[in-house]
Amino acid sequence: MRKGNLNSTGATGASGAVKKLLLLLRRYRILMALSIILAAAYVILTLYVPIIFGEAIDSIADNGVDIPAIVKYLFEAGVIAAGGGRPDGGGDGVQKPPYYG
């Protein structure tokens, strides 16, 4: 039965590869943690936008059309949506080609 070759960290198989990868990425751990925190904040804020629109609709249903309240809700949703925007204008994860013409 073959156990695999020892790598530079002294471990075998997939666990050795993971250990080696973690050693290589050690100097980027702060950036990786920041990336995970920002990704979580993005997801939370994206899920919050429908709640804001629901509150705006409930405000209309309960009190009639209250323009200052609706503007407040739309402003909140706009700020959240603007923070999640992409510099190339897309939100579908596909890089848009430059316009030539």
Side-chain angles (χ1 to χ4, degrees):
M1 185 183 231
R2 193 172 148 198
K3 291 189 174 187
N5 297 330
L6 289 175
N7 59 20
S8 63
T9 60
T12 61
S15 66
V18 171
K19 287 180 183 178
K20 188 172 184 179
L21 181 64
L22 290 176
L23 286 173
L24 291 172
L25 294 175
R26 185 179 349 167
R27 67 183 202 189
Y28 300 107
R29 66 180 176 253
I30 293 173
L31 292 175
M32 288 190 304
L34 180 65
S35 176
I36 292 169
I37 291 168
L38 291 176
Y42 174 77
V43 169
I44 291 168
L45 291 175
T46 301
L47 293 173
Y48 187 61
V49 170
I51 294 172
I52 293 172
F53 281 115
E55 289 177 358
I57 292 170
D58 289 343
S59 174
I60 293 171
D62 293 342
N63 306 327
V65 178
D66 182 16
I67 298 296
I70 294 171
V71 168
K72 181 188 95 153
Y73 290 126
L74 290 177
F75 179 76
E76 288 177 10
V79 167
I80 292 172
R86 293 185 35 156
D88 64 354
D92 55 1
V94 177
Q95 183 79 20
K96 305 291 189 276
Y99 177 72
Y100 298 108

